[in-house]
Amino acid sequence: MEPVGLTFAAVGAAELCLKYGPRLCEKYRRFRDAETDFAQRLLVFESRWMKVEVQVKFLRTVWNSLPAEFQVHFNSILSIINSKLVQANELLDHAIEKKGHQHQHGFAVLAKGKVRRGAFAFTLRESIDSTIRDVDQWQQNLLDPTWYQLVLVPGMQVQQAAQEACIDDQVSGRTLADLRFLLSRKDQAEGLKTDVFLPHDTVERMASGVEFSKASLGIHRRSNEVVLLDRVQIPPGINRDQSISDVYQLVKFFSLIEPESFGFLQCRGAIKDAQHCDLIFSFPENQDDPTSLRALLVQASSTYPLNARINIAQMLARSVMFLHDCKFVHKSLRPDNIICFASQGECPDKPYMVGLDRFRLIDARSMRLSDDLWYKDIYRHPSRQGIRPEKDYIMQHDIYSLGVCLLEIGLWQSFQKWQDDSDEPLVNGDLLPRKEFTIKDPRKRAFELKKQLIRLAEQRLPGSMGRIYASTVTSCLTCLDPGNSDFGDQEELYDESGILVGVRYVEKVLMQLFLPRQQSATVFEINLLDYLNHVYNPPRKFRRHYHLVQPKLISPTTTAYNSLTQPIPLKNRLL
């Protein structure tokens, strides 16, 4: 789509969101008294909508300053959210509409528009629950991650709009402004004050820790709360002042965030020592009983809910996105460094990343120092294995590690297993043939291991997690391959801000991981997703699968858009 046409389409999508969202709120308010708990549901929907409304208005303000890739992506997401709002409005209109003696969609309607409370209240409850779920999932899984990428967009227009949002006391705008401010600061070394680095006696360490993880637990002496401690080592030969400055910036970032939105625990400060810093993290609200993802995989309960595994995968993918938005790379992403919490009475399905002992800023010089431990090398790209890796660490190396973690989550088995008398893990021969680890040439061994991981994703995952999930894992594992059509040529993806990698990541990973959660999908969404997957040259083989339109971006102001909001079963889609 030409830039001018894209601008009009995006403005149309934003305006329609701002039209149908408040209209839906107003319609729901009319039925506040339909049943006792409907008012509570209305408050939930209004709170969800307020966040979407703030973000849509912000995007409308800064649209002309956004890169073209951002404009295409935001236009796509806004169009889908708007389709959900339109659909909810139409279903509600049918609920109060009488045509002859026929009742629409199971609603019981009396003369003069008065509603028979029983049947209507039940269907109305289902309607608002469905709308809350749809808007919340699309906003949280797709709009939010790309929204916080705005920290990377240079220019005063975005900064000014974020500051105005702070004045209006808008939480998401205030967080965005704070993150942009931190990224723009160049004097971190001068700001090492007591607001971050705390006295050594701040936390009393507990004897127990988190199984299969280096994270430990302690009691915060001031609040008497249990906290989680994550140690960041300062390797010898590294500039200590620069390392302390990086820790300072990391703590400041993690003190601003909402844990469930970003997939990182909120940081309360750090305890500085000669060779390390201990980061202090609070437990998430109303969540307890921390356990590592490794422990869950080793136990490998066959009754572990599928939706919990999908939740873990989605939240991990969002965590990687946020870390890269803040211009950090993790470098140690594996199940040992993922701590899962559970809400009361539920299984652990809220993962949070720790294990930041090797983190660094994206634009900092890579020291190319590592180890040759096989149980860590599994999660490293072949070019990053061994004591002296051959390539500098970049964002895509984290994406590769994420792919290995997603593979284990999909299989719900650990690549490592333990025996009581063993200090180190053993290879799980059911998944990884031991012969791969006996190859003497380190480079050949690394690439043979990668091939085995890809084979597992292609052969074992579709049956348990579906083709979309399997394809997403494969895309992560091949993100640095020259022939990877999802992430494209590495020279094309390189830009100083990291925007291009981020947008492609949302489209090829986050969006695909979110898709299996949908109980139904609209034809509009399918065409839109296929447009993103084949944005430059849609192959003919995809066109024949859809009856209404070939894959292309559709302006929300056209008649075609309005005709593409009827839900179709997920089983009828091309997966």
Side-chain angles (χ1 to χ4, degrees), residues 494-506:
Y494 177 78
D495 64 318
E496 291 185 0
S497 63
I499 288 174
L500 212 54
V501 176
V503 170
R504 199 69 61 86
Y505 177 80
V506 173

Side-chain angles (χ1 to χ4, degrees), residues 113-388:
K114 292 183 179 180
V115 180
R116 186 176 296 124
R117 293 180 59 175
F120 178 77
F122 174 78
T123 313
L124 189 63
R125 183 171 63 248
E126 294 297 312
S127 171
I128 193 171
D129 285 349
S130 175
T131 304
I132 291 172
R133 185 168 55 250
D134 285 344
V135 172
D136 194 37
Q137 287 181 349
W138 280 102
Q139 189 274 338
Q140 186 181 52
N141 288 280
L142 296 177
L143 182 56
D144 247 6
T146 317
W147 160 264
Y148 285 107
Q149 268 202 307
L150 293 175
V151 300
L152 305 175
V153 177
M156 289 303 299
Q157 188 175 3
V158 176
Q159 184 64 29
Q160 184 177 354
Q163 291 171 349
E164 290 174 357
C166 288
I167 295 173
D168 294 338
D169 198 29
Q170 297 168 356
V171 175
S172 56
R174 184 167 61 251
T175 303
L176 181 64
D178 289 343
L179 293 175
R180 285 179 62 87
F181 174 72
L182 283 174
L183 281 176
S184 67
R185 291 184 64 184
K186 305 298 183 184
D187 59 343
Q188 300 293 341
E190 300 176 5
L192 309 182
K193 307 298 182 182
T194 55
D195 62 329
V196 165
F197 293 104
L198 306 175
H200 286 76
D201 61 352
T202 301
V203 175
E204 179 183 353
R205 294 183 179 276
M206 299 171 61
S208 60
V210 181
E211 189 179 16
F212 295 114
S213 173
K214 291 184 177 180
S216 58
L217 302 177
I219 303 292
H220 198 285
R221 293 182 185 274
R222 179 176 298 179
S223 62
N224 204 34
E225 295 175 341
V226 180
V227 293
L228 187 141
L229 301 173
D230 187 24
R231 176 159 295 183
V232 176
Q233 297 287 350
I234 302 176
I238 303 297
N239 186 312
R240 184 176 185 276
D241 289 340
Q242 183 59 50
S243 296
I244 296 296
S245 177
D246 292 347
V247 170
Y248 174 88
Q249 189 164 349
L250 188 74
V251 171
K252 294 296 284 186
F253 273 122
F254 288 171
S255 68
L256 297 172
I257 62 174
E258 302 170 14
E260 283 205 40
S261 296
F262 294 98
F264 283 93
L265 298 171
Q266 194 164 45
C267 192
R268 302 176 61 169
I271 299 174
K272 181 174 56 174
D273 212 330
Q275 298 299 324
H276 64 262
C277 292
D278 288 330
L279 307 183
I280 305 171
F281 292 102
S282 296
F283 280 21
E285 188 175 357
N286 299 322
Q287 297 177 31
D288 52 21
D289 193 22
T291 183
S292 69
L293 178 59
R294 174 70 66 202
L296 295 176
L297 292 171
V298 170
Q299 296 165 7
S301 171
S302 59
T303 61
Y304 206 85
L306 178 60
N307 66 319
R309 290 154 59 186
I310 295 292
N311 277 337
I312 293 172
Q314 288 180 336
M315 200 163 169
L316 281 181
R318 290 203 306 270
S319 303
V320 171
M321 179 80 180
F322 171 70
L323 193 66
H324 291 173
D325 287 349
C326 294
K327 293 196 172 183
F328 289 105
V329 286
H330 192 285
K331 299 185 68 176
S332 300
L333 181 54
R334 55 184 186 270
D336 318 52
N337 293 329
I338 297 165
I339 306 299
C340 297
F341 288 81
S343 300
Q344 189 172 10
E346 298 181 0
C347 61
D349 67 345
K350 301 289 192 303
Y352 299 92
M353 284 190 191
V354 293
L356 295 159
D357 57 309
R358 289 181 177 270
F359 88 96
R360 68 167 176 80
L361 289 166
I362 287 174
D363 54 1
R365 186 169 68 92
S366 178
M367 301 301 294
R368 295 196 186 183
L369 297 175
S370 187
D371 53 53
D372 59 352
L373 300 174
W374 72 266
Y375 51 87
K376 294 183 179 180
D377 275 345
I378 290 175
Y379 302 94
R380 296 167 179 156
H381 187 269
S383 64
R384 288 292 307 176
Q385 293 186 21
I387 297 176
R388 302 292 296 184

Side-chain angles (χ1 to χ4, degrees), residues 43-96:
L43 288 175
V44 173
F45 176 73
E46 286 179 332
S47 67
R48 299 292 195 276
W49 167 247
M50 284 174 61
K51 186 172 184 180
V52 174
E53 187 176 39
V54 166
Q55 293 176 328
V56 172
K57 287 181 178 179
F58 188 96
L59 289 172
R60 185 178 59 179
T61 302
V62 303
W63 185 261
N64 291 331
S65 65
L66 299 181
E69 287 274 348
F70 259 9
Q71 291 182 348
V72 171
H73 186 71
F74 275 125
N75 179 61
S76 305
I77 295 174
L78 292 179
S79 298
I80 293 176
I81 291 176
N82 183 60
S83 74
K84 296 294 184 183
L85 296 173
V86 170
Q87 192 174 15
N89 271 279
E90 290 179 349
L91 289 175
L92 194 58
D93 287 342
H94 284 307
I96 58 176

